Amino acid sequence: MHGGRVRRFHFARDVEEALSLLAAYGSRGAVLAGGVDLLRSPRGDVEGLVDITRIGLSSVRETGGGVAIGATTTLSGVLESQAGHDYAGGILPEVLRAVASLPLRNMATLGGAVVSAHPWADIPTALVALGAEVRWQGEREGRSLVEELYRTPFRGLFRSAVVTEVRFPPWNGAFAYEKVGRTRYDIALLNACCGVGVEDGRIAWARVAVGARPTRGERLPWAEEALVGRVPGEPLWNEVRRLVEERIEVGEDRRASGEWRRTVAGVLVARAVARAARKASA
Amino acid sequence: MKISFELNGELKYLEVDPGERLAALLRRLGMKSIKEGCGTGDCGACTVLVDGRAVRSCLMVAPQVQGRRVMTVEGLGTLDDPHPLQRAFLDSGAVQCGFCTPGMILVAHELLTRNSSPTPDQVREAISGNLCRCTGYVKIVDAVLLAARWKREGKWR
């Protein structure tokens, strides 16, 4: 973002004022929360910044086995919350510790991660796997499963709407997250978030999402179907690894080849499903 | 626009451009420990503490610190009276060119504020977003562990 063109900075007092300011600036306004992506963006047209970090959208609360996280909650804020820590076998700390570095986690917000939705990012893959729902306020209140939102041209929506909350549903089971990056704080070359529930010694439900392929994280319904009803164990993990290698759609970019992604996707899914099953059975 | 914030314990009330980066403002105020290395939050040379949290000042605009407490290494210690973390970096040989050192020390400060008995791996994780091109990281990890030991022994002020 070219800071020299910014004419005004506003601390919105509430969501309504933020929306009103955004409407007044039109395409020359921008919502500022963590700022990590906005200030790195190439946008040179921003004249008005609307800071939404002081309007009460920073909270993490347990909701009957699920968790509701305010949009301006920093990733560190989620990591340090009890509700975030306890959810779905501790999946949120597992994912968020894989995101960037401590100072960036102190700045970046969950709402920002939803809206930025970088294809190589860790959080969108987890949001899709976990069945997270995003809520926003624009001209009208809106809500959508993140998975469905990402199938729409959603970026335009958040030029005139403010994300207010992300809700994670309860799961009777556990999730695990696997990522390969070049360094500890690098973006993902590939990532996978998988969850299972185990009942009477068999897998009752399964969620499998793979991201940074290099496209944004999406679920693999055929992999999930292959797991349900089966007995957890090494033979099944090997089977799902081979299945993912055979069927997953991957691409190549300057960071990794498609062949590498295809092979590693199978390994990551098998590892994540196995760990999730161990957690769910514990 | 006018903003007020606390910088190294001193209240500041001053005029800023609304799009001015915090790193630029702090350097304008004489805090030359802050370096703009990458300008994209990746190298850690511009790290400061805001309300005790390590953040990248190159990815903040100045008005965001309205009403907040900002600390740079200049507020930690002096040449004559260095903070134990600074002393530990010197004693461990963790400083060479010095470009990354302020950021390393401030990230370590946040870590040790929350955890005075970190494992070497926890130290490596904490500093993983701060790049050093001179010494390697072994001496830096040693320095943070030494400072942690001094803290546990009650040698921090």
Side-chain angles (χ1 to χ4, degrees):
Chain A
M1 187 193 77
H2 194 291
R5 299 209 170 84
V6 177
R7 300 275 175 265
R8 299 287 298 273
F9 181 103
H10 308 267
F11 284 111
R13 282 170 292 194
D14 49 38
V15 173
E16 287 70 29
E17 187 181 46
L19 293 171
S20 161
L21 287 162
L22 286 174
Y25 282 108
S27 63
R28 298 184 313 281
V31 170
L32 176 64
V36 170
D37 282 317
L38 177 64
L39 271 80
R40 280 197 285 206
S41 79
R43 285 189 68 179
D45 58 344
V46 178
E47 292 183 6
L49 287 172
V50 182
D51 186 307
I52 60 164
T53 59
R54 304 185 187 195
I55 60 177
L57 294 179
S58 299
S59 64
V60 183
R61 63 181 207 284
E62 196 266 342
T63 54
V67 63
I69 302 176
T72 60
T73 311
T74 62
L75 306 188
S76 293
V78 180
L79 270 166
E80 290 160 13
S81 69
Q82 193 61 48
H85 188 269
D86 294 344
Y87 174 69
I91 185 62
L92 295 179
E94 208 173 291
V95 174
L96 298 181
R97 282 203 188 95
V99 178
S101 58
L102 174 71
L104 290 174
R105 293 196 296 267
N106 284 342
M107 304 170 74
T109 64
L110 188 63
V114 171
V115 174
S116 294
H118 296 297
W120 38 259
D122 303 292
I123 293 173
T125 307
L127 295 172
V128 166
L130 290 162
E133 177 191 88
V134 58
R135 298 182 175 199
W136 64 86
Q137 179 71 53
E139 275 186 33
R140 293 186 302 273
E141 283 186 15
R143 65 171 70 176
S144 170
L145 288 175
V146 173
E147 183 180 12
E148 290 172 5
L149 181 78
Y150 286 167
R151 293 195 193 112
T152 68
F154 62 94
R155 293 190 193 283
L157 169 67
F158 296 113
R159 286 271 176 129
S160 57
V162 172
V163 176
T164 53
E165 193 171 66
V166 182
R167 288 196 171 217
F168 296 83
W171 290 99
N172 184 19
F175 282 76
Y177 182 71
E178 294 284 339
K179 167 185 180 177
V180 179
R182 287 206 178 90
T183 65
R184 195 186 287 246
Y185 79 111
D186 197 11
I187 62 176
L189 296 170
L190 198 71
N191 59 37
C193 187
C194 303
V196 295
V198 179
E199 287 173 18
D200 300 327
R202 291 183 181 270
I203 293 179
W205 58 263
R207 305 274 292 192
V208 175
V210 178
R213 302 193 248 164
T215 51
R216 191 183 302 120
E218 288 180 17
R219 284 171 60 202
L220 310 180
W222 40 266
E224 295 170 357
E225 286 164 18
L227 287 161
V228 172
R230 306 287 301 280
V231 177
E234 212 52 46
L236 181 57
W237 314 146
N238 283 329
E239 190 182 315
V240 81
R241 176 178 56 76
R242 287 192 297 271
L243 178 68
V244 170
E245 276 184 40
E246 281 168 21
R247 291 194 55 176
I248 193 168
E249 292 177 15
V250 291
E252 64 177 29
D253 60 9
R254 62 182 176 170
R255 299 174 65 79
S257 70
E259 187 185 350
W260 181 89
R261 282 196 166 98
R262 175 175 299 285
T263 305
V264 174
V267 174
L268 292 191
V269 168
R271 282 183 188 166
V273 171
R275 277 206 304 116
R278 280 198 297 276
K279 287 202 270 183
S281 303
Chain B
M1 67 182 288
K2 291 267 193 190
I3 64 167
S4 63
F5 66 103
E6 191 183 300
L7 175 60
N8 296 330
E10 188 180 324
L11 190 63
K12 297 285 181 186
Y13 181 62
L14 44 85
E15 186 76 27
V16 298
D17 288 333
E20 183 175 9
R21 303 283 168 139
L22 179 60
L25 169 66
L26 294 174
R27 282 186 64 84
R28 185 156 66 82
L29 294 173
M31 304 299 117
K32 296 298 171 66
S33 68
I34 293 157
K35 315 292 193 300
E36 181 166 334
C38 64
T40 55
D42 293 313
C43 76
C46 69
T47 302
V48 300
L49 299 181
V50 174
D51 290 344
R53 296 277 192 178
V55 296
R56 305 296 203 223
S57 60
C58 72
L59 290 183
M60 294 179 72
V61 289
Q64 285 179 274
V65 297
Q66 163 66 35
R68 307 287 197 207
R69 284 179 295 114
V70 178
M71 192 167 86
T72 67
V73 155
E74 286 86 346
L76 206 58
T78 64
L79 282 174
D80 296 332
D81 183 22
H83 185 277
L85 254 169
Q86 294 168 305
R87 170 58 62 194
F89 269 65
L90 290 171
D91 287 4
S92 302
V95 177
Q96 194 162 319
C97 85
F99 195 86
C100 74
T101 310
M104 291 284 186
I105 286 177
L106 291 176
V107 167
H109 190 279
E110 179 181 345
L111 171 70
L112 299 187
T113 299
R114 294 170 197 288
N115 176 9
S116 56
S117 301
T119 63
D121 202 50
Q122 286 171 325
V123 174
R124 282 191 282 271
E125 184 181 353
I127 66 168
S128 66
N130 287 56
L131 304 183
C132 169
R133 298 286 82 126
C134 298
T135 69
Y137 298 93
V138 173
K139 298 292 186 185
I140 293 169
V141 173
D142 289 347
V144 178
L145 292 171
L146 177 62
R149 197 183 85 207
W150 287 346
K151 187 176 186 199
R152 292 194 300 276
E153 292 171 355
K155 293 178 181 171
W156 280 37
R157 54 174 175 261

